[in-house]
Amino acid sequence: MITPADQKRTYLALLAGLDAQAPEEKLHAIRDVYSEDVDWYGPHPINDLHGSDTLIASFWSPLLAAVPDLERRDDIVIANSFKGGDWIGATGHYTGTFTSNWLGIPATGGVVNIRYGEFSRIEAGKVREVYLILDLLDVMRQAGCWPRELPVGRGVADRVPGPATRDGVTLETAAPGESEQSLRLVEAMIAGLMQYDQKSLESMGMERFWHPDMMWYGPAAIGTSRRLKGFQDVHQRAFLQAFPDRIGGNHKARIGDGAYVGSCGWPSINATHRGSWLGHPATNRRITMRVMDFWRREGTLLRENWVFIDQIDLLLQLDVDVMSHLR
């Protein structure tokens, strides 16, 4: 039986080639990561890519041309099985020198930190399926070309840290029951979210699940917040006013690994745009959201939450093309 620790060893060994110096060496190593028929699903404007040749030509080669000394720095790597598949969840930053334009974002000549959330399914020792969200809006913030169509967000815009406990990447096997306890807590919290009466945030009873000093690390245009009130003021109230009838589902993976849990849906949320979102008034359209979450449990409560939303894809559904100003 393949254990979560074995899955992580395989995955991290595959990615070790990214430490190579030259972009050509990195590309050669990257080719060994993926199955030839890999299915890769990324953020807008990259979207769906199929086959390792297409993935390398359309994603990896342009990225390495823009950031030749790219390094991957994982903050969290978790593993477990979901619906018969062996899944790895990871989040952190790609870091390097931004020397050439990428996706229309102008190069700065300085350091860039590209925040990512990723879920990968391992099959026969290779990556067969990938879901990836990159915080491209945050790259625009770093490049000084923030979209004029968007507010800067209520939360703090800064480099998102890894876990306070510094134990997000470990090859140790979790103690019996720890992973299940973490997963049960997250699923109970999500069930509470579904109790929203479309009037009061208190109807969800979130204080039952979150540590008094919780940290919530949201995507650019929302930002980072602390404590339940901070989370409600920075994100939750505005989100529920904009999408009060949201329904979750279509999970590609939801796994627990020790004190950590990760979840990915593609799309994860279906909703009606009934209130202002990021400064844009209600359209009453049905929308979908690509979402990823990573949580850290501390005791019986959730202490930290790393959140990814493909904001550019969501806004495009509201006829807001934030990539167009780059052109």
Side-chain angles (χ1 to χ4, degrees):
M1 178 180 177
I2 299 176
T3 67
D6 291 334
Q7 292 171 234
K8 286 184 281 191
R9 286 189 186 93
T10 298
Y11 180 71
L12 294 172
L14 286 171
L15 294 176
L18 275 173
D19 292 334
Q21 291 295 312
E24 296 78 12
E25 294 174 349
K26 292 180 188 289
L27 285 174
H28 181 75
I30 286 167
R31 187 172 294 278
D32 291 335
V33 172
Y34 301 101
S35 300
E36 289 185 4
D37 56 350
V38 62
D39 293 315
W40 187 95
Y41 304 91
H44 187 80
I46 308 169
N47 299 304
D48 303 355
L49 301 173
H50 302 285
S52 58
D53 289 343
T54 301
L55 172 57
I56 289 170
S58 300
F59 173 65
W60 280 110
S61 289
L63 176 57
L64 288 171
V67 190
D69 58 351
L70 188 76
E71 295 181 1
R72 176 177 167 125
R73 301 193 176 182
D74 295 310
D75 292 324
I76 298 171
V77 177
I78 59 176
N80 220 317
S81 297
F82 182 77
K83 294 184 177 179
D86 294 325
W87 286 90
I88 304 284
T91 182
H93 293 80
Y94 285 105
T95 297
T97 310
F98 196 2
T99 60
S100 299
N101 296 356
W102 179 55
L103 300 175
I105 304 172
T108 64
V111 173
V112 65
N113 293 301
I114 307 169
R115 186 179 177 224
Y116 69 86
E118 178 187 77
F119 279 80
S120 303
R121 182 170 61 83
I122 308 298
E123 186 178 282
K126 299 277 190 175
V127 175
R128 176 64 180 77
E129 186 176 3
V130 184
Y131 298 89
L132 174 70
I133 296 179
L134 303 171
D135 197 339
L136 297 178
L137 286 179
D138 189 61
V139 177
M140 295 179 198
R141 177 188 67 83
Q142 295 173 62
C145 59
W146 186 255
R148 60 180 178 272
E149 299 91 346
L150 298 182
V152 295
R154 297 181 179 88
V156 171
D158 201 353
R159 190 181 191 278
V160 171
T165 46
R166 301 189 180 98
D167 62 355
V169 183
T170 175
L171 297 180
E172 297 179 3
T173 301
E178 287 289 304
S179 303
E180 291 79 5
Q181 182 182 355
S182 300
L183 190 57
R184 285 196 302 269
L185 177 59
V186 165
E187 291 185 335
M189 182 274 295
I190 292 172
L193 290 173
M194 294 301 106
Q195 301 304 310
Y196 178 53
D197 63 4
Q198 301 193 17
K199 297 177 183 178
S200 169
L201 297 183
E202 287 69 31
S203 63
M204 298 177 289
M206 286 292 101
E207 67 281 352
R208 295 173 293 163
F209 308 106
W210 292 98
H211 190 282
D213 290 325
M214 66 171 283
M215 292 295 298
W216 190 87
Y217 309 110
I222 300 174
T224 290
S225 63
R226 182 170 174 85
R227 298 189 168 182
L228 183 58
K229 184 180 185 303
F231 166 57
Q232 291 170 338
D233 292 345
V234 165
H235 174 66
Q236 192 176 47
R237 183 174 291 106
F239 182 82
L240 292 176
Q241 289 171 350
F243 309 106
D245 64 347
R246 82 274 186 263
I247 299 173
N250 196 29
H251 298 117
K252 301 303 178 182
R254 178 173 286 174
I255 56 176
D257 188 353
Y260 292 88
V261 174
S263 183
C264 168
W266 209 268
S268 177
I269 292 176
N270 286 265
T272 308
H273 180 215
R274 291 181 174 168
S276 177
W277 180 244
L278 302 183
H280 296 278
T283 62
N284 292 312
R285 292 180 181 175
R286 292 295 294 176
I287 59 87
T288 62
M289 295 183 210
R290 303 163 174 173
V291 179
M292 291 181 191
D293 277 89
F294 296 84
W295 297 267
R296 182 177 69 84
R297 175 179 59 83
E298 190 169 292
T300 60
L301 297 171
L302 298 171
R303 183 66 185 266
E304 295 182 275
N305 184 194
W306 295 261
V307 180
F308 295 84
I309 303 172
D310 189 350
Q311 299 268 50
I312 297 175
D313 175 71
L314 170 58
L315 287 163
L316 194 62
Q317 297 173 64
L318 311 181
D319 289 337
V320 181
D321 185 357
V322 298
M323 303 300 294
S324 65
H325 82 285
L326 297 175
R327 296 191 290 270

